[in-house]
Amino acid sequence: MNAVDSLARLAQVIESRKPAQGGDPEKSYVARLLHKGPDSFLKKIGEEATETVMAAKDVDQGGDKAKLVGEVADLWFHCMIALAHYDLSPDDVVAELARREGLSGLDEKAMRKAKAREQSGE
């Protein structure tokens, strides 16, 4: 199973659930979140991020790794809803990761900070 293909298929389903595509909030969880607007799915991202952290901490204490995988799946899913809302896709995220490939994480972070300082006029 190709992870990128799986993400692309899920992104297509999410896209089809958008209100503009006829997604029915009475019949679809995704359509309901999109219909309610960003506060709804952004809150879910925060909840899922917290649950992911808690599951990882549990693994550190001998907990079930499958629980961590499930929480990360929930987090990714809700992030994909946000991407769809903003007319973005997993391809955009993969392209950004590819752009960063081979960069030192510390160097990349320093470049982002310098760019932010430039934009703020410091």
Side-chain angles (χ1 to χ4, degrees):
M1 170 175 42
N2 181 318
V4 173
D5 290 343
S6 294
L7 290 173
R9 284 192 303 277
L10 179 55
Q12 288 173 344
V13 170
I14 291 169
E15 189 70 26
S16 75
R17 301 296 198 270
K18 284 181 166 183
Q21 302 297 327
D24 184 350
E26 297 298 318
K27 295 181 181 175
S28 165
Y29 173 72
V30 171
R32 186 176 311 138
L33 285 177
L34 290 168
H35 177 76
K36 288 181 178 180
D39 285 349
S40 181
F41 56 77
L42 295 174
K43 179 179 176 186
K44 285 300 296 178
I45 290 171
E47 291 171 6
E48 298 303 342
T50 299
E51 291 172 6
T52 298
V53 169
M54 293 184 330
K57 295 298 241 173
D58 287 346
V59 170
D60 286 340
Q61 302 301 316
D64 186 3
K65 290 181 181 181
K67 174 79 171 152
L68 175 58
V69 169
E71 294 302 342
V72 170
D74 291 345
L75 177 60
W76 285 15
F77 174 76
H78 288 90
C79 288
M80 288 178 67
I81 293 171
L83 288 171
H85 174 79
Y86 295 109
D87 296 320
L88 297 166
S89 76
D91 287 341
D92 296 301
V93 177
V94 171
E96 176 60 14
L97 291 171
R99 183 191 69 77
R100 295 179 185 185
E101 188 174 354
L103 288 177
S104 156
L106 296 175
D107 290 344
E108 199 275 335
K109 185 175 180 179
M111 285 189 306
R112 278 188 282 139
K113 282 184 176 181
K115 190 175 191 178
R117 280 194 301 271
E118 274 179 29
Q119 290 173 348
S120 69
E122 289 182 11

